[in-house]
């Protein structure tokens, strides 16, 4: 008898260890299918369904199968046990069942109305993974990759507009969605679909903030493929990257906004506390992310005399880079800040400083590693979204609410893009044309972040309704807007390979315009505000020399009395570089410049009139080499040391 | 009041989402420390402490800190609750506590004696992660990398010996350890330290099987660095790779060996069932792993006329490669086989077939990706081993048992290596010298696999004692044997850069011997048994042409009536290759051959006498290019098409 029990327990244990294998296998299978589909699509130049849309579709089908094929729930499921002795829920519960002690781990608190039969179907349950996995494992590589692959020159040239769309635009979008949804909720209460007390205005704002996170990954992939106008690409990419960060912090701030008495009344103190929270969390996360990146830059830059440089061990270098970037995320989370924001700015800073110190091998390794992780994480999330429609057990479908959300999302996008573009155009020399505005309006897709924010909390009924609605909005925008991108580009006549742009001709035009690179001096000058000029000066004079091998030696930029310190801190390479490049290289670094020169004669220069700007060629190097920034007249000279014209004011 | 509760619940939830961040941060911190230490060591050419030893040391210190600095357990911990209504432990338990329903997830069954105060210290608990993470996440990349980086030529040349050590040797080791431990257990019972019924002979054998998994990662890293004799390297590496697989399956078979009546009596039926299990699981896992690799090879090789080859999208290719390899593991686990064995043979097969079909970009990407994952996983495991000494809560330290285990491990290693080497030397032309045997004896380190197998089951007291003992044996062998490797190499006068081998001279010798590459015909011929000759013939004639671009076209190897099928299945490249390379290229593939020729004039050839064999130069390409296999006289000619001498029998 004893032996038999032992045998059974071993068998149980076996089952326990194989747990997880089946679920992971399902995801692997879906991802493999997705990859094969992408391959097929690439062969047929089929652009109506992006890989993420495909992944979502496969997830949906798999969810349907799991839902209706796996065995029905156990008899015991849904039974709630009483325990008088327990006063609160401990994190670990030891329970004595027929003289055998079992250990149970606290999972979550559930509302009474969620206790239903499906709770017990283990397969459905296992396929629903912990939301913290999204935040700790899947999102960081995606966000880091976005920051790391930001096209710095175009990004900084449009920084003002991007910040306006990201901060002001997201706030507008949040409020507009909140107001419209509140109207719909009132209407639903009126026709008796909803009880008033279930849905406060703060809930509507919460929904507004999570639905404000745009994720045009599908659109950007198509832009990249079709060589769509770089400025449009940058505006959209920059906006969506920063907007995620804003939406996440906004959601967090709203969720802890708690007026003391009537939840519907406006409480000024609580409101300002929320605004303070927002600013504090944002600034703290920014500081945390950047400082980790600076530490990485310093370590990778270290040139102690007795030490071999770290870059001679590419594996260690990549490892350190990866671990420190992830630590930025984890430290921010552990400190109660927002890890996603930290990892985003960590990525941007790493790309700006650390990247320049890496060995050529590590540059490629890190880029490929993050690209790969981004690819996997993105497709896992979209697969999971498809799955969630059928495997999530507490959906609340409310047609009116869903319809309201779709309306709200589009109205909010419109009241974000059009008014802000109008305002921005008042100040911009190079206007944002109407067609770009329409395209940006159309590209307001919702994706991974909105989903992750919605799935974070699905305990109460309003939150469940929000989750269901958010999921459907994601489906709708990804399939409809994502699928219609090419059609829209053609219809709006936006410069791309589809609309009258021959990539070869374009390159020729750029090569030709190389002889007159100073024409756009006025346009760029107007856009670089004094703030950024100061920042660039500081960055160039102090940070770049301190953290990278580029820039002038600190001995020449710091006051004379700092010389002893400056000499220690300056890379020996900086002195050599100074002779070659002088002060012209502000944002791009020497390595990239030299590389560009050696690899291609087509150094891209800004286009000659203000409407026809440069194209997204898909070649990062050309775009990075594209100068013309910050009010300085830049003239690229061959690195071999020709006399340089330098109009630094 | 209601608001307040909501506020608290949000705070709780926040805490919930930040959970995991601190623990991951601790691991990140330990890994960063380890990387910085490795960097320091590499600078000082310090070889006494390998990175894994360092990681373990840091883990140990961190474990000590966590143990004694974190707050003492909650008051409630250790309390066992009664629940009369429950008849068995459901996977999800819903419990009503003060009118709030909480969901609890089944974690494990624990024995009454394990219910102690430490159970409730959440920090200690969180740092102890689920053993299934080892098996599903951390071990697969390590084992796959081992298979993928196997040096095929040397491995196959020594295959007979390696298989003998791995299968027969591991079995001997398991039985010897089991017998010695049984002796110690009897003695302990005699002096009253142990109750007889606690420890059966099968438990001793179980301990023997898990302690038989050697992991000389430290030693191999040093061998690699010091250019130690390639044959010794290959013997040790091959043995340890296969031996892991054997030990895992053996442990599994012993754990399900269940004689019907007296557990100490020998039950022939149960024994043969176990042997049958062993063979079945091993063969099944082997088949599963290989077939996934074959599928990958087929996909990456596909050359349908209308399709672009997959290798034109390196990211997709890498993704598919990664996912299919992982699926091999997961499928085997899901099917009740051993995933580790499957992923090992998947790696070997991928290296043999798929690798040749990959684009140059993907070759590098996959290699770097797996190298990186291996690096991280290995260091995480060794950190965790250090941590476990203090964070694991149910250690049972029994000095006599620990002493017994140390004795048993060394005696078992000796009775594995020396008798088997003696037997093998009877058949080998190129004997295994005494010094090699001593070195192999000394390199019997225990590591990740032994630890993972021991931590899998720590419920009963005997299992806890085994786990504690296994952990200490790992510490001892890694620090003492790992640290003493260089000293041992010098003392045994084994060929390496330490002992009279100048790497430059060695290269010169090789270049010189290039003109007479046929001298070792006899030695290699003797070692390549008929079985392998048949296998190579089959592999070369049918599998290689079917799965890769190398080898002769199928049209020439298959009977004439198969021609229509053969023509479809053969790569167009195969025809071209045939003209250039003919039948000479048996194990290495064309790409590598050409590459070697173009990149270096030092094509390595087998050394001229049987005792002085080639050295592990650390350059995979040279070793791969190193021909002289399978009883065929090989003469490398420049690929440009000089007349070839071909002595194919």
């Amino acid at each position: 008898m004893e032996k038999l029990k032992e045998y059974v327990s071993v068998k149980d244990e076996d089952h326990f260890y194989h747990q997880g294998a089946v679920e992971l296998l399902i995801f692997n299978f879906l991802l493999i299918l997705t990859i094969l589909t992408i391959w097929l699509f690439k062969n047929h130049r089929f652009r109506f369904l992006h890989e993420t849309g495909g992944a979502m579709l496969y997830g949906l089908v798999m969810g349907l199968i799991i839902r209706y094929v796996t065995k029905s729930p156990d008899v015991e499921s849904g039974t709630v046990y009483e325990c008088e002795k327990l006063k609160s829920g401990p994190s670990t519960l030891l329970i004595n069942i027929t003289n055998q002690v079992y250990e149970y781990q606290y999972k979550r608190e559930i509302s009474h109305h969620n206790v239903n039969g499906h709770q017990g179907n283990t397969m459905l349950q296992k396929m629903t993974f912990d939301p913290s996995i999204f935040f700790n494992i899947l999102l960081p590589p995606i966000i880091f990759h976005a920051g790391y692959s930001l096209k710095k020159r175009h990004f900084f040239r449009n920084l003002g507009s991007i910040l306006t769309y990201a901060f002001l635009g997201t706030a507008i979008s949040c409020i507009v969605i909140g107001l419209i949804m509140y109207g719909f909720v009132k209407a639903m209460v009126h026709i008796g679909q909803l009880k008033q007390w279930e849905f406060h205005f703060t809930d509507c704002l919460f929904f507004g903030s999570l639905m404000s996170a745009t994720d045009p990954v599908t659109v950007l992939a198509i832009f990249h493929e079709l060589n769509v106008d770089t400025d449009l690409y940058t505006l959209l990419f920059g906006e969506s990257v920063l907007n995620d960060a804003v939406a996440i912090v906004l959601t967090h701030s709203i969720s802890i906004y708690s007026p003391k008495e009537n939840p519907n009344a406006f409480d000024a103190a609580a409101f300002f506390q929320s605004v303070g929270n927002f600013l504090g969390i944002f600034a703290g996360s920014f500081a945390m992310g950047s400082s980790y990146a600076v530490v990485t830059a310093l370590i990778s830059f270290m040139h102690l005399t007795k030490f071999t440089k770290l870059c001679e061990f590419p594996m260690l270098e990549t490892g350190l880079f990866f671990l420190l970037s992830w630590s930025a995320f984890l430290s921010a989370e552990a400190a109660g800040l927002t890890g996603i924001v930290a990892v985003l700015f960590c990525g941007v800073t790493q790309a700006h400083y650390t990247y320049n110190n890496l060995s050529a091998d590590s540059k490629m390794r890190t880029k490929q590693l993050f690209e790969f992780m981004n690819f996997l994480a993105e497709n896992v999330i979209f697969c999971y979204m498809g799955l969630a429609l059928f495997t999530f057990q507490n959906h609340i479908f409310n047609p009116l609410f869903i319809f309201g959300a779709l309306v709200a999302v589009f109205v909010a996008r419109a009241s974000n893009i059009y008014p802000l573009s109008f305002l921005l155009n008042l100040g911009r020399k190079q206007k944002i044309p109407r067609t770009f505005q329409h395209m940006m309006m159309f590209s307001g897709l919702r994706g991974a972040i909105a989903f992750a924010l919605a799935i974070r909390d699905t305990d109460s009924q309003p939150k469940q309704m929000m989750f269901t609605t958010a999921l459907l909005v994601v489906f709708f925008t990804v399939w409809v807007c994502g699928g219609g991108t090419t059609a829209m580009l053609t219809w709006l006549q936006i410069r791309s390979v589809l609309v009258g742009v021959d990539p070869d001709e374009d390159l020729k035009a750029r090569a030709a315009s190389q002889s007159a690179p100073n024409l756009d001096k006025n346009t760029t000058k107007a856009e670089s505000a004094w703030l950024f000029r100061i920042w660039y000066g500081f960055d160039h004079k102090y940070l770049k020399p301190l953290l990278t091998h580029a820039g002038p030696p600190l001995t020449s930029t710091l006051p004379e009395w700092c010389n002893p310190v400056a000499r220690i801190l300056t890379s020996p390479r900086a002195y050599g570089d100074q002779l070659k490049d002088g002060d012209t290289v502000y944002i791009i670094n020497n390595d990239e410049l030299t590389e560009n020169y050696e690899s291609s004669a087509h150094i891209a220069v800004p286009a000659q009139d203000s409407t026809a700007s440069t194209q997204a060629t898909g070649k990062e190097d050309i775009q990075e080499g594209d100068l013309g920034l910050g009010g300085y007249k830049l003239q690229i000279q061959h690195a071999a040391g020709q006399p340089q014209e330098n109009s630094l004011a």
Side-chain angles (χ1 to χ4, degrees), chain A:
Chain A
M1 179 61 204
E2 195 208 348
K3 257 295 92 162
L4 186 72
K5 217 177 71 193
E6 215 168 275
Y7 187 81
V8 169
S9 113
V10 167
K11 278 279 166 217
D12 272 2
E13 182 205 304
D14 266 13
H15 176 77
F16 176 71
Y17 287 114
H18 298 154
Q19 116 177 1
V22 177
E23 293 82 51
L24 285 172
L25 197 58
I26 289 176
F27 275 102
N28 268 14
F29 174 71
L30 288 176
L31 290 178
I32 290 168
L33 260 186
T34 308
I35 289 180
L36 292 178
T37 314
I38 302 169
W39 180 25
L40 190 78
F41 283 4
K42 291 223 177 196
N43 269 294
H44 293 276
R45 301 182 176 286
F46 186 78
R47 291 192 197 95
F48 296 104
L49 189 60
H50 183 248
E51 57 197 66
T52 51
M56 216 153 73
L57 194 67
Y58 287 127
L60 204 69
V61 174
M62 184 58 86
L64 198 69
I65 294 171
I66 293 174
R67 173 92 179 202
Y68 294 107
V69 171
T70 53
K71 66 166 194 239
S72 56
D74 311 349
V75 189
E76 282 200 85
S77 68
T79 317
V80 180
Y81 296 94
E82 299 286 331
C83 199
E84 296 81 21
K85 285 176 210 147
L86 274 168
K87 290 291 160 280
S88 64
S91 63
T92 307
L93 184 68
L94 300 177
I95 253 186
N96 193 343
I97 302 168
T98 56
N99 213 23
Q100 196 67 48
V101 182
Y102 294 97
E103 184 178 340
Y104 281 85
Q105 191 75 47
Y106 176 78
K107 205 174 158 200
R108 58 190 178 130
E109 183 188 323
I110 51 174
S111 315
H112 288 277
H113 64 92
N114 292 337
V115 182
N116 61 34
H118 268 303
Q119 216 67 40
N121 185 336
T122 41
M123 191 64 198
L124 282 186
Q125 218 169 47
K126 276 182 201 157
M127 292 306 294
T128 316
F129 52 63
D130 193 329
S132 70
I133 290 181
F134 278 108
F135 278 86
N136 287 343
I137 314 279
L138 294 174
L139 283 185
I142 296 180
I143 305 287
F144 183 87
H145 183 252
Y148 198 56
S149 63
L150 208 77
K151 274 155 195 147
K152 284 177 284 170
R153 197 185 72 82
H154 285 269
F155 179 76
F156 283 110
R157 198 160 67 174
N158 291 299
L159 190 61
S161 312
I162 290 171
L163 287 177
T164 312
Y165 286 125
F167 280 83
L168 211 56
T170 308
I172 292 175
S173 165
C174 168
I175 293 167
V176 170
I177 295 178
L179 286 172
I180 295 179
M181 291 324 289
Y182 195 59
F184 270 92
V185 164
K186 284 274 181 206
M188 282 155 71
V189 171
H190 195 70
I191 62 170
Q193 279 198 2
L194 209 64
K195 273 171 277 175
Q196 168 80 56
W197 56 265
E198 274 181 353
F199 237 104
H200 302 305
F201 182 60
T202 44
D203 290 327
C204 292
L205 271 184
F206 179 82
F207 185 69
S209 64
L210 72 88
M211 288 313 293
S212 297
T214 60
D215 179 18
V217 46
T218 315
V219 175
L220 290 176
I222 294 171
F223 276 23
H224 193 83
E225 209 175 307
L226 296 183
N227 281 1
V228 171
D229 189 285
T230 314
D231 274 312
L232 177 56
Y233 181 92
T234 311
L235 278 178
L236 204 56
F237 180 75
E239 185 224 341
S240 73
V241 164
L242 284 181
N243 142 298
D244 289 347
V246 175
I248 288 173
V249 182
L250 205 57
T251 311
H252 186 78
S253 306
I254 292 175
S255 75
I256 60 176
Y257 164 83
S258 53
K260 287 191 190 67
E261 285 148 33
N262 182 357
N264 276 321
F266 178 78
D267 182 334
F271 173 77
F272 283 113
Q273 206 196 328
S274 277
V275 172
N277 272 333
F278 176 86
L279 295 176
I281 292 172
F282 204 94
S285 309
F286 175 85
M288 182 74 86
S290 314
S291 44
Y292 265 96
V294 166
V295 168
T296 320
L298 277 176
I299 292 177
S300 62
F301 170 61
M302 259 164 58
H303 47 86
L304 303 176
T305 37
K306 275 201 170 176
F307 262 65
T308 325
K309 286 204 198 77
L310 185 60
C311 62
E312 289 179 25
F313 311 105
M315 166 72 90
L316 298 185
E317 210 180 1
T318 313
L320 203 65
F321 190 91
F322 171 80
L323 289 171
L324 278 170
S325 304
W326 198 20
S327 294
F329 172 86
L330 294 170
S331 305
E333 285 289 312
L337 302 168
T338 309
I340 297 291
V341 177
V343 86
L344 169 65
F345 290 106
C346 181
V348 174
T349 318
Q350 299 277 39
H352 196 53
Y353 299 116
T354 318
Y355 188 76
N356 298 333
N357 300 335
L358 296 179
S359 62
D361 193 7
S362 279
K363 276 183 189 171
M364 210 172 52
R365 270 173 189 244
T366 52
K367 230 174 178 167
Q368 288 180 349
L369 180 70
F370 288 114
E371 205 177 281
F372 182 69
M373 283 166 58
N374 171 62
F375 175 81
L376 277 191
E378 210 169 77
N379 284 302
V380 167
I381 291 188
F382 278 86
C383 272
Y384 187 72
M385 282 197 238
L387 273 174
L389 189 64
F390 290 104
T391 57
F392 182 71
Q393 290 144 41
N394 300 308
H395 277 302
I396 297 183
F397 292 95
N398 185 320
L400 198 57
F401 194 81
I402 293 164
F403 174 73
L406 278 175
V407 171
V409 159
F410 281 92
V411 172
R413 184 78 187 161
S415 39
N416 162 0
I417 298 297
Y418 295 120
L420 287 184
S421 303
F422 175 76
L423 286 177
L424 285 170
N425 276 346
L426 294 181
R428 280 174 74 107
K429 272 270 157 86
Q430 188 182 321
K431 309 288 185 207
I432 301 167
R434 290 302 275 183
T435 49
F436 282 21
Q437 297 178 27
H438 295 318
M439 197 63 221
M440 286 182 77
M441 164 72 208
F442 185 78
S443 309
L445 280 71
R446 304 308 193 268
I449 306 277
F451 174 79
L453 286 172
I455 207 178
R456 226 178 185 178
D457 180 7
T458 55
D459 277 344
S460 65
Q461 273 169 318
K463 293 280 160 70
Q464 285 166 7
M465 203 153 88
M466 287 182 200
F467 173 66
T468 308
T469 309
L471 192 58
L472 290 176
V473 171
V474 171
F475 283 5
F476 182 83
T477 55
V478 168
W479 284 333
V480 173
C481 299
T485 309
T486 6
M488 201 70 180
L489 278 175
T490 321
W491 190 61
L492 290 173
Q493 297 275 313
I494 290 176
R495 279 171 64 91
S496 70
V497 286
L498 292 176
V499 190
V501 176
D502 176 11
D504 290 338
E505 216 168 75
D506 199 52
L507 272 180
K508 268 182 238 154
R510 283 181 207 197
S513 65
Q514 207 182 331
S515 51
N518 302 327
L519 278 175
D520 72 324
K521 188 181 159 186
N522 294 327
T523 39
T524 51
K525 191 165 196 167
E527 287 193 43
S528 60
W530 56 272
L531 185 67
F532 299 113
R533 250 177 309 182
I534 291 173
W535 159 251
Y536 279 126
F538 180 73
D539 182 44
H540 175 65
K541 279 193 187 153
Y542 307 111
L543 293 182
K544 279 245 167 183
L546 192 64
L547 299 173
T548 73
H549 298 294
L554 280 174
T555 41
S556 68
T557 55
L558 282 176
E560 209 163 296
W561 55 269
C562 299
N563 261 355
V565 183
R567 214 166 290 132
I568 295 168
L569 293 172
T570 303
S571 160
R573 270 171 62 187
Y575 296 101
D577 290 346
Q578 194 195 19
L579 297 175
K580 284 189 287 175
D581 299 282
D583 284 323
T584 47
V585 182
Y586 259 56
I587 289 194
I588 59 152
N589 59 72
N590 305 324
D591 290 355
E592 278 169 347
L593 182 64
T594 322
E595 237 167 56
N596 289 334
Y597 245 106
E598 283 167 7
S599 67
S600 147
H602 307 298
I603 289 287
V605 291
Q608 302 186 17
D609 62 317
S610 60
T611 46
S613 54
T614 53
Q615 307 291 307
T617 57
K619 287 183 187 163
E620 176 83 2
D621 55 352
I622 288 188
Q623 288 165 353
E624 290 284 349
D626 188 350
L627 295 179
L629 215 162
Y632 302 105
K633 190 174 98 187
L634 298 177
Q635 184 157 5
I636 307 170
Q637 301 284 348
H638 195 284
Q642 292 175 19
Q644 289 181 8
E645 188 188 336
N646 192 336
S647 71
L648 200 98

